[in-house]
Amino acid sequence: MNPFCVPFAITNMGSTILAIDLGWMGPNYSISTACAMSNYCTLNATNHIIRGETVSIIVHSCVFSIIHLQYLGFGLIG
């Protein structure tokens, strides 16, 4: 088993890797609420700006897996 299996399986790892590679700083977390995900992401981003925690924020809403183990769990690959 690859030692990075668990870190790559958690939902915020995609944005974490991107932030590290591009040198972005600030809040970075994952919201997983199915259909309402983009609404929650936009609302939370707006709240960060309103509270003065950041002056700008990038919001992205997408459900994806970055390891094959998750695809195997759903039977998407064999």
Side-chain angles (χ1 to χ4, degrees), residues 2-52:
N2 184 326
F4 295 106
C5 180
V6 172
F8 284 157
I10 56 180
T11 59
N12 68 329
M13 194 49 63
S15 60
T16 301
I17 292 170
L18 182 64
I20 290 169
D21 287 348
L22 298 176
W24 293 342
M25 306 289 284
N28 180 21
Y29 53 90
S30 175
I31 299 172
S32 183
T33 54
C35 301
M37 183 169 36
S38 60
N39 291 335
Y40 281 111
C41 291
T42 303
L43 177 64
N44 283 346
T46 304
N47 286 333
H48 281 293
I49 293 170
I50 289 170
R51 290 190 303 255

Side-chain angles (χ1 to χ4, degrees), residues 58-73:
I58 295 172
V59 178
H60 184 266
S61 176
C62 177
V63 177
F64 70 102
S65 295
I66 59 175
I67 63 169
H68 292 291
L69 184 60
Q70 290 171 317
Y71 288 115
L72 287 170

